[in-house]
Amino acid sequence: MKRLRVLKLGWEFPPLINGGLGIACLGISRALAKLVDLSVIVPKSTPNVQFEGFKLIGLNNLEATELLTSEEKYRYESFARIKQVPIHLDPYSIEETSVEQIRMQPGGEVAFAKTTQVQLDRFKLDDLYGGDLAMKVIEFSKVAAKLAMLQDFDIVHAHDWMTFLAGVEVKKATGKPLVVHVHASQYDRAGVDARGWIYEVEKYGMEEADCVIPVSQYTGEVCAGHYGIDPAKIRPVHNGADPVDVFQTKKKFPEKLVLFLGRLTAQKGPEFFLEIATKVLEKNKHVRFVMAGTGERLRPLIESGAFRGLGGYFHFTGFLNKEKVHELLSMTDVYCMPSVSEPFGLSALEAAQFGIPAVISKQSGCAEVLKGALAADFWDTDLMAKHISDLLNDEQLREKVVRQAAEDIASSTWDAAAANVVEIYHELAS
Amino acid sequence: MKSKAPASAPNVSLYFQVHQPNRLVPYDFFRIGEHAFYEDDLLNAEILSKVSEKCYLPANAMFEKLLKKHKGSFRIAMSISGTVIEQMKAHRPDVLKSFQSLVATGHVELLAETYYHSLAYLHSKKEFERQVEKHLDLMEEVFHVRPRVFRNTELIYNNAIAAQAETMGFDGILAEGVHWSLNGKSPNFLYRAPELTRLKTILRNPGLSDDIGFRFSDKNWSEWPLTPEKFATWLAESEGDVVNLFMDYESIGEHQWEDTGIFEFWKSLPQAVIEEDLRWVTPGEVVDLYRASKEYDCHWPTSWADGERDLTAWIGNVLQQEAIGKIHRLESEVLAAKDDDLTDVWAKLQTSDHFYWMSTKEGTDGGVHQYFSPYGSPYDAYIYFMNALADLQIRLKA
């Protein structure tokens, strides 16, 4: 088989990360680079970071002159399908002459305004999800499409909704097959009644794609059921986990430690963790619960914890850097992930690497990988509490769960994930 | 000199509160079990020094001069918490000396309070008595006096606290003149709590006290700028037996900076009041001079804090309620350990400021809470406090 050339579109990328997306993109890119020729376009990258085997292009580091040769070749297509008045989609240029630069073409297409340095420089400002995110997504699509025309590749692969429009643009501009990767969906973030622009973009991207890769079967079911995507083109590929330097730290207190780690948003189920902790502590005061992370729910959670009288046994750490997270993992006895909807849950694998048994919700993709983890529905806090108590009290059960997890993670590598993805590439390219 | 004041003009009693809390380090989860010292010594020393330079030292010097000059016709009262005296002993003995020198003029009456400036009465009578006795001992040790009049932390008061103070042998107790509790009665008289025979309740005049304590520097206030002469006429026009001006000592120079003219105001006020033919008295004298003929029935605890003048500044939300409840619940365990250091660590966590910083009130009062807080938010205050408490619990079990 010939070595394929892949253009990847990403949003966050280490070291500029916000959540699991950037880590997953890096993991899969590194592994893919061994199998294909890879270049990655992201809105923002750190200028001097080099990655082995692939090229990372941050639009913030791009010069407008680099796009010159593709300026006239490109036509505004897919946006016109989403919104009927395409001209309104370019109101963001702060150049006074921008209105004249948008030209109607015969057939109702709109040619993009020439990308100016001012537009590119905007990718240098504030964080990836801050400010006018919609504007950033649209600007990214336009520039990425132009940039794509300067490159030779066989497949375009877009990661999560922020890059889906760009993926569709590239597909339309070049005719190459489009793969969209679903790391998380609006369904996870906002629940069953999630609708709106982001939902529409996700649905549109998946519909236009030649293949949809969800990070779990669970998420695949969301794509099919919630977004109405043809199950025939949904091909789940589990994430891998990068090996970490595992170490053990002796706790400075005698109690056992149960850990919740993640953004404090409704999706991650932190309220359920509080409820679980309340139920465990009712019977066993020899446990400490730690909620690590921050988010919009932090303050209400602190209040709820105080109301439940958990203070002194239930600890909030706020945001922790990687070193602190590892320090915490190194002293944790049980990992708990009661997510309401978790596409994958990389952190549970990381916990498994530290030899920590996990109690996870059935609504978590990683339950498909960690076959030995004790699971319960996220709302079934009684069962969750029972699982935790069992792991704290039953050494045999604990050993069994840890041993199974060690086996499971041994096969959960990014190389395995990349091999599956490449198989899909070849099917599409042939 | 011809008397300007009407025959019924009241006397004036002045009392200052001196207190600094022991602020905690940002005691995060990773310190539990490892870091046995909770207080931010450096920060506490720094703030003590700042307040000393702006308020304690210049104000003490000013008042010492005024007291000596007026030879007893100008007198003041002070209550100095145990925590601030400990801080002065450790970091600024020179400041403690200046307080001692002020008291040595013989014209300063010291009041009794809880050593740790705590809300102990609300949770444990035993702990409350221990802290009041400890403070009395400290007053004897440092100033060689034994206070006769009691003021509870932040003027927290009700019938039960008054009864407790009488039982402990005090002659008078200070309280806030709270309109919703006074029901139209004037704060300018002495009162008796129901069923009590001896103890007299002395009520703060909130309007006139806050004129100097808060509004003095407010340029939007219709009476700004306030002169000592104008204020003295207001005092002279007041009805009743005694106008009680109670405020934080730090309002001179710290809450209201020197450039507001606050020092000039105080320099001239004693003479301006005397010229209105009013007498300066201290709470102890007030108790001797006047009968407490009227009853003041105060069930619900009052205080001088926030617009509500109740306990919501410290126990208004669940964070505060849990923190204060949990620290007091350790009492029997702590005392059973018979470890003086541990008892002291525990008692210092009772200082009311810890809970004051956990208030989630908004508006003007919320702004004041946050102004005094060493932490980024009331939630941080709660988290650090509860982590320190968890560590203390571990040490108790060890």
Side-chain angles (χ1 to χ4, degrees), chain A residues 252-255 257 288 290 299 302-303 305-307 309-313 315-317 320 324 327-328 331, chain B residues 28-34 318-319 322 326 360 376-379 382-383 386-387 389-391 393-394 397:
Chain A
K252 296 149 202 150
F253 45 83
E255 296 84 4
L257 196 161
R288 291 187 185 281
V290 172
R299 291 182 170 194
I302 294 172
E303 286 169 5
F307 180 75
L310 299 182
Y313 297 97
H315 307 275
F316 294 89
T317 68
L320 296 180
K324 282 287 178 193
E327 188 182 340
L328 200 48
M331 52 173 115
Chain B
D28 65 39
F29 170 75
F30 293 95
R31 293 180 192 248
I32 298 173
E34 180 180 80
V318 285
L319 309 182
E322 202 207 15
K326 286 231 162 122
T360 45
S377 79
Y379 299 89
Y382 169 79
I383 287 172
M386 294 311 284
N387 284 340
L389 182 111
D391 184 83
Q393 280 177 305
I394 293 165
K397 283 178 193 137

Side-chain angles (χ1 to χ4, degrees), chain B residues 13-17 77-79 111 151 174 245-247 304:
Chain B
S13 151
L14 183 63
Y15 138 70
F16 293 114
Q17 177 64 37
M78 275 186 168
S79 186
L111 309 182
R151 61 78 69 190
L174 308 193
L245 303 174
F246 300 168
M247 66 201 73
W304 74 1

Side-chain angles (χ1 to χ4, degrees), chain B residues 149-160:
Chain B
V149 174
F150 178 70
R151 61 78 69 190
N152 199 17
T153 304
E154 310 295 329
L155 295 196
I156 292 170
Y157 174 91
N158 70 358
N159 293 341

Side-chain angles (χ1 to χ4, degrees), chain A residues 1-50:
Chain A
M1 270 189 289
K2 78 177 169 78
R3 197 167 161 97
L4 289 169
R5 296 161 301 176
V6 177
L7 177 68
K8 199 182 257 299
L9 304 169
W11 197 254
E12 49 179 83
F13 214 85
L16 304 174
I17 59 166
N18 193 277
L21 176 62
I23 294 165
C25 279
L26 174 63
I28 196 133
S29 296
R30 271 202 204 126
L32 276 174
K34 298 175 198 166
L35 308 169
V36 299
D37 289 343
L38 182 68
S39 53
V40 184
I41 300 176
V42 291
K44 196 173 180 179
S45 69
T46 319
N48 299 317
V49 177
Q50 295 283 325

